[in-house]
Amino acid sequence: MVTRLEPGLHLIATPIGAARDITLRALDILASADVLAAEDTRTLRHLMEIHGIALNNRPLVPYHDHNGDQAGPRLLAALAEGKSVAYASEAGTPLISDPGFQLARDASAQGLTVRAAPGPSAVLAALTVSGLPSDRFLFAGFPPSAGGGRQRFLEGIARSDATVILYESPKRIHRLLEELAQHIEDSRPVALCRELTKRFEETLRGTLREVREQLEERDVKGELVFLIGRASEEKAGAEDLDAALRRALRDHRMKDAAAMVAEALGLPKRDVYQRALKLSEE
Ligand code: SAM
């Protein structure tokens, strides 16, 4: 027997590959919500079919990046009437590089209940198999595709003192690794997780240089998560200033490079600029 679900917005995590990776509670919510909403209604219907959950004439509302302005108010109105709304993105956890943030924020701003039915997400699946430190991590999503935003993003990664987790498309992974090599040392430990929980699941682990070599001749396919370990503290101490300056000087004028590095390492700008002058004379 299905019990009445608490009114409010229920954000449901769905499988990132294996269809059985859905929690029993998520299935209960899907079976009992007054309104269902999904980034991709076909995917949700298919998942419900696999698990024997009938739609039973309940509304199934598409809510995605391109229709949030119309679908959002409709879902908020249902919530305001005291209905329960279950929302699922196409795969994994809603809001994590997926739609749902605006809806969840609007719902909580209006004093409506927002609940999570936690479950799969490629971020945590990748972190757990990567072999990289899991005590502190930064999920940075998809890298910006070009321009200054991309430069700043890569520089931020190089400075991070946490394991960094990125989503990237197979078409862009080679370019990402090539550009990362200009910002972080070749010996930095990294991992590439492909097709997690699926038939051709694979994780490559090694230094940035090793993983680049492994991928050199490969046409990479499937869904990817790329992880970058933090520089070891000992090493960071020894190489920090000169190496950071050398990297920054490849892409920036001396003054800008010195300012960036000074800020990143918390050192006086003047000292860093003097060191940059020395390095450029060597
Ligand atoms: N909301 C999802 C989550 O919680 O992981 C992420 C959605 S985002 C649009 C899709 C990206 O997640 C893919 O391009 C890939 O980088 C990553 N991803 C999703 N499923 C994956 C899988 N099975 N294996 C590896 N990466 C995956």
Side-chain angles (χ1 to χ4, degrees):
M1 196 190 78
V2 175
T3 50
R4 178 158 160 70
L5 181 64
E6 179 188 15
L9 176 64
H10 298 263
L11 299 163
I12 305 218
T14 58
I16 57 167
R20 289 175 68 77
D21 278 346
I22 184 151
T23 68
L24 298 176
R25 189 164 154 260
L27 293 177
D28 289 346
I29 294 170
L30 288 173
S32 56
D34 299 318
V35 176
L36 299 166
E39 179 187 13
D40 183 328
T41 53
R42 275 182 29 180
T43 311
L44 184 61
R45 284 191 84 130
H46 182 57
L47 184 68
M48 288 169 66
E49 267 163 36
I50 292 174
H51 293 286
I53 297 172
L55 194 54
N56 283 339
N57 295 320
R58 290 175 295 166
L60 174 50
V61 181
Y63 176 91
H64 44 71
D65 285 338
H66 308 293
N67 78 343
D69 288 351
Q70 298 91 52
R74 183 175 164 198
L75 295 172
L76 290 166
L79 290 166
E81 281 169 24
K83 298 218 160 100
S84 53
V85 175
Y87 177 67
S89 55
E90 195 189 347
T93 301
L95 283 78
I96 306 302
S97 294
D98 258 346
F101 169 66
Q102 193 61 46
L103 180 62
R105 189 158 77 162
D106 290 347
S108 49
Q110 294 179 23
L112 300 161
T113 300
V114 179
R115 299 271 187 254
S121 186
V123 187
L124 292 185
L127 182 64
T128 47
V129 299
S130 68
L132 295 171
S134 54
D135 56 333
R136 190 163 71 240
F137 61 91
L138 167 72
F139 172 59
F142 287 96
S145 56
R150 186 170 173 93
Q151 278 304 312
R152 283 191 294 280
F153 182 89
L154 296 173
E155 283 155 12
I157 287 175
R159 288 199 299 265
S160 174
D161 63 353
T163 296
V164 177
I165 308 176
L166 304 177
Y167 287 168
E168 188 51 294
S169 92
K171 280 194 206 131
R172 291 195 286 260
I173 189 70
H174 286 102
R175 178 180 157 220
L176 176 68
L177 297 190
E178 203 180 302
E179 291 182 15
L180 266 175
Q182 294 168 22
H183 292 270
I184 64 176
E185 62 283 16
D186 261 3
S187 55
R188 186 83 72 97
V190 301
L192 181 70
C193 301
R194 197 172 73 80
E195 296 286 89
L196 289 157
T197 77
K198 301 189 208 178
R199 185 160 168 220
F200 296 108
E201 172 165 352
E202 174 184 36
T203 294
L204 305 180
R205 303 176 187 86
T207 62
L208 177 60
R209 184 189 314 112
E210 288 161 353
V211 169
R212 282 183 76 199
E213 279 165 11
Q214 290 180 62
L215 288 183
E216 221 158 292
E217 302 294 316
R218 270 180 68 171
D219 180 16
V220 182
K221 293 208 165 69
E223 295 196 282
L224 305 178
V225 183
F226 188 67
L227 304 94
I228 304 144
R230 54 183 176 245
S232 80
E233 273 151 35
E234 211 176 280
K235 196 167 204 171
E239 68 119 29
D240 262 0
L241 178 57
D242 287 6
L245 269 174
R246 284 200 178 92
R247 281 197 295 275
L249 284 165
R250 282 185 212 144
D251 299 318
H252 300 277
R253 289 177 315 156
M254 191 175 304
K255 202 169 152 222
D256 298 336
M260 275 168 37
V261 171
E263 194 193 326
L265 302 182
L267 296 171
K269 262 191 207 161
R270 256 171 62 140
D271 296 354
V272 177
Y273 186 72
Q274 290 305 322
R275 184 67 201 152
L277 271 175
K278 277 244 159 59
L279 285 181
S280 67
E281 285 160 8
E282 279 175 19

